[in-house]
């Protein structure tokens, strides 16, 4: 009789089982390349192109100044996002679930809900831009049907989970990168197109507004970077997670948004249409690639929305997170976001710019608290078991220090805010240069650190 151990076959596709629970070491299949490819692919979509077009189209900046603002904003923002990503291999849990250490078991669910709304907004926005790309090529195609079809693709990918998303992103990063590179080369060979705007001129408010958009574009990834780096082996370490995330996010964002700058200069009203207008058949092929790839990429946005939705369910309703719960949460969330996309097709660019601005103000204080707590206060040492205790364990249900710091940081931004609905009193003296995010980050970080140390001293005196 043979005593050889049985051969364990591993299927090509793994259905996700861990959901929001810590990823065990033997299931950490992520690599440096897979993390880099995920973030490269996520920016290779028409939404990034349209965002870059804001600089030359909406703000009227020359091509050179537009690209400089995009580079500066993305370099700054990606640094913050990558610092959050460095937490993944060490802790092994989703990014916003780790916020329980800063805000408490129930307090963190408020921020998970905010992140859930944000990812739902991005999922809907990507559906709209993907539909627009398709309609440039096939103008007779029904726009609502296109949104629904693209949504179904993203939902199916998300249902399978991380493994399928990771493999999809690796291949997409290659194909879409080629399409974007070809488009940029062809536009640079036609300088009369991208320099045709006579009214293009440097203006500080436009430059710094675009810089802020670059920052928020990157920080919008911060609430879910660890959702993917948690699949890196712990021995990989934070440095590898940091650089794989930083380079993937920053390089691809600048690359794709720069194409958007050229398209915005060529056609400020409809930048995506400039691909077909000026690049002929190749431009139409690129638009089709964008449309299909956006549907695939969107699975990542929905995946992170679901991770945050599950965190809210577990925190507030004591729901046991199973595969069935995750799948139905995915379907329900994807359906809701699809309805939002169908209803929000009109005035998309105006609404999207307002969405990005508000997103920056909301994310900044959370980011400051998370980074200060992880790198300065706790130096990465947390009790993962306590994060899953209904009473919050050592972190409690509500952490007053974290919540008050967030409120103060959010309030500090108000005098400097520049939004379609509200403009702070300090905006005009500053020539409408948006520095609210800088003020918010600095104030939040200082206040949180001061309150943590004050609270620690009180506990020592009481002991």
């Amino acid at each position: 009789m043979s005593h050889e151990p049985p051969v364990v076959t591993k299927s090509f596709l793994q259905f996700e089982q861990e959901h929001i629970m810590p990823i065990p070491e033997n299931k950490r299949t992520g690599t440096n390349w897979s993390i880099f490819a995920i973030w490269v692919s996520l920016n290779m979509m028409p939404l990034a192109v349209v965002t870059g077009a804001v600089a030359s189209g909406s703000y009227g900046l020359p091509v050179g100044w537009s690209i400089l603002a995009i580079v500066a904003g993305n370099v700054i923002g990606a640094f913050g996002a990558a610092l959050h990503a460095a937490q993944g291999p060490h802790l092994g849990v989703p990014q916003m679930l780790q916020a329980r250490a800063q805000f408490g078991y129930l307090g963190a669910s408020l921020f998970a809900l905010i992140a859930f709304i944000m990812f739902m907004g991005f999922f809907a926005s990507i559906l709209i831009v993907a539909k627009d790309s398709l309609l440039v090529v096939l103008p007779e195609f029904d726009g609502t049907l296109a949104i629904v079809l693209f949504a179904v693709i993203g939902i199916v990918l998300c249902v399978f989970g991380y493994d399928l998303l990771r493999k999809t992103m690796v291949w997409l990063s290659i194909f879409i990168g080629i399409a974007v590179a070809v488009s940029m080369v062809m536009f640079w060979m036609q300088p009369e197109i991208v320099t045709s705007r006579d009214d293009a001129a440097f203006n500080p408010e436009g430059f710094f507004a675009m810089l802020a958009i670059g920052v928020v574009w990157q920080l919008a990834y911060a609430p879910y970077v660890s959702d993917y780096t948690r699949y890196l082996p712990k021995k990989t370490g934070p440095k590898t997670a940091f650089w794989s995330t930083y380079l993937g996010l920053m390089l691809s964002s600048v690359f794709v948004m720069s194409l958007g700058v050229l398209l915005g200069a060529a056609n400020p009203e409809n930048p995506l249409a400039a691909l077909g207008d000026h690049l002929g058949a190749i431009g139409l092929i690129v638009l089709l690639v964008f449309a299909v790839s956006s549907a695939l990429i969107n699975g990542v946005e929905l995946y992170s929305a679901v991770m945050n939705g599950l965190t809210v369910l577990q925190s507030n309703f004591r729901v046991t997170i199973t595969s069935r719960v995750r799948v139905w949460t995915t379907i329900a969330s994807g359906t809701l976001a699809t309805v939002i996309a169908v209803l929000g097709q009109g005035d998309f660019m105006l609404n999207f710019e307002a969405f990005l601005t508000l997103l920056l103000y909301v994310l900044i204080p959370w980011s400051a608290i998370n980074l200060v707590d992880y790198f300065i206060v706790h130096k990465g040492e947390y009790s993962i078991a306590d994060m899953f205790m209904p009473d919050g364990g050592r972190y409690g249900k509500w952490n007053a220090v974290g919540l008050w710091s967030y409120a103060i940081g959010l309030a500090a931004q108000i005098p400097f805010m520049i939004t379609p609905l509200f403009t702070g009193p300090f905006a005009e003296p500053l020539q409408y240069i948006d520095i609210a995010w800088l003020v918010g980050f600095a104030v939040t970080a200082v206040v949180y650190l001061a309150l943590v140390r004050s609270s620690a001293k009180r506990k020592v005196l009481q002991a």
Side-chain angles (χ1 to χ4, degrees):
M1 180 182 292
S2 173
H3 295 284
E4 293 182 4
V7 177
V8 179
T9 58
K10 184 178 179 181
S11 62
F12 172 75
L13 189 60
Q14 303 296 311
F15 186 83
E16 182 166 325
Q17 302 291 334
E18 282 69 36
H19 320 309
I20 63 173
M21 300 303 291
I23 306 301
E25 191 67 27
N26 64 348
K27 292 189 178 182
R28 295 194 177 194
T29 57
T31 63
N32 304 346
W33 165 242
S34 69
I35 295 298
F36 178 81
I38 284 172
W39 303 125
V40 167
S41 301
L42 269 177
N43 286 309
M44 296 289 185
M45 58 181 174
L47 188 62
V49 175
V50 170
T51 302
V54 169
S56 54
S58 299
Y59 294 131
L61 291 169
V63 170
W65 283 108
S66 296
I67 294 176
L68 181 60
I70 286 170
V71 170
N74 281 281
V75 164
I76 296 170
F79 185 81
L83 284 175
H84 290 286
Q87 302 170 20
H90 183 60
L91 300 178
V93 296
Q95 190 75 62
M96 296 309 290
L97 189 142
Q98 191 258 343
R100 290 173 176 175
Q102 294 98 47
F103 302 100
Y105 187 83
L106 294 176
S109 67
L110 297 175
F111 300 91
L113 181 60
I114 291 171
F116 173 80
I117 294 171
M118 178 188 78
F119 293 125
M120 293 285 279
F122 273 115
F123 186 84
S125 299
I126 292 170
L127 288 177
I128 293 173
V129 179
K131 177 265 299 181
D132 290 341
S133 299
L134 181 64
L135 294 188
V136 173
V137 183
L138 303 172
E140 301 301 321
F141 201 91
D142 183 82
T144 299
L145 178 59
I147 287 176
V148 172
L149 291 175
F150 290 147
V152 168
I153 294 173
I155 291 171
V156 170
L157 284 171
C158 186
V159 162
F160 279 93
Y162 167 80
D163 192 56
L164 181 57
L165 289 169
R166 173 179 64 85
K167 290 170 179 173
T168 303
M169 294 301 104
V170 169
W171 286 105
L172 277 179
S173 63
I174 299 172
F175 288 114
I176 313 173
I178 294 172
V180 174
V182 169
S183 301
M184 290 187 69
V185 169
M186 293 184 69
F187 265 100
W188 282 118
M189 293 174 63
Q190 304 177 63
E192 71 280 359
I193 297 175
V194 297
T195 58
S196 59
R197 289 196 63 179
D198 297 329
D199 59 338
F202 173 81
N203 58 90
E205 58 271 25
F207 179 85
F208 285 99
M210 195 62 214
L211 186 150
I213 286 176
V215 171
V216 70
W217 181 268
Q218 296 296 341
L219 283 184
Y221 290 117
Y224 67 123
V225 282
S226 283
D227 295 4
Y228 299 95
T229 59
R230 67 184 174 136
Y231 281 92
L232 287 172
K234 194 168 185 177
K235 65 180 180 180
T236 299
K239 287 185 179 180
T240 299
F242 176 90
W243 285 112
S244 297
T245 302
Y246 182 81
L247 293 175
L249 285 175
M250 188 271 294
L251 294 175
S252 59
S253 298
V254 170
F255 185 47
V256 181
M257 287 185 186
S258 295
L259 173 62
V261 169
L262 303 181
L263 297 178
N267 188 341
E269 299 299 324
N270 190 352
L272 289 175
L275 277 169
D277 294 341
H278 299 290
L279 301 187
I282 292 179
L284 295 178
I285 292 172
V286 172
L287 283 167
L288 281 175
V289 171
F290 271 146
V292 175
S293 63
S294 292
L296 298 172
I297 290 169
N298 225 2
V300 175
E301 302 290 349
L302 185 58
Y303 177 80
S304 291
V306 170
M307 291 297 104
N308 285 284
L310 294 176
T311 300
V312 173
L313 287 175
Q314 187 191 62
S315 300
N316 295 276
F317 303 103
R318 304 289 179 89
V319 174
T320 301
I321 307 304
T322 63
S323 294
R324 181 185 295 274
V325 171
R326 182 180 68 82
V327 169
W328 281 110
T329 302
T330 299
I331 294 172
S333 301
T335 301
L336 177 59
T338 303
V339 172
I340 294 171
V342 170
L343 296 177
Q345 297 179 61
D347 298 322
F348 168 72
M349 279 307 298
L350 181 63
N351 294 330
F352 183 64
E353 288 177 45
F355 173 69
L356 283 177
T357 303
L358 291 173
L359 196 59
L360 177 63
Y361 300 144
V362 171
L363 285 177
I364 280 291
W366 163 79
S367 178
I369 291 170
N370 180 268
L371 293 178
V372 168
D373 188 71
Y374 185 90
F375 289 102
I376 298 177
V377 177
H378 285 98
K379 296 180 173 60
E381 296 304 318
Y382 295 92
S383 170
I384 302 300
D386 283 20
M387 292 182 187
F388 289 90
M389 292 181 179
D391 64 355
R394 70 187 65 182
Y395 306 117
K397 288 187 176 182
W398 301 92
N399 187 326
V401 170
L403 294 169
W404 274 112
S405 300
Y406 181 87
I408 293 169
L410 195 62
Q413 298 179 89
I414 293 176
F416 304 90
M417 285 183 177
I418 303 172
T419 74
L421 299 177
F422 171 78
T423 299
F426 293 166
E428 185 175 0
L430 291 170
Q431 296 184 321
Y432 295 97
I433 296 173
D434 191 349
I435 65 166
W437 57 280
L438 280 172
V439 174
F441 191 94
V443 169
T444 306
V446 171
V447 168
Y448 182 73
L449 197 55
L451 290 179
V452 165
R453 290 177 175 173
S454 175
S455 177
K457 286 180 180 179
R458 282 199 303 270
K459 289 179 180 178
V460 171
L461 292 174
Q462 292 171 0

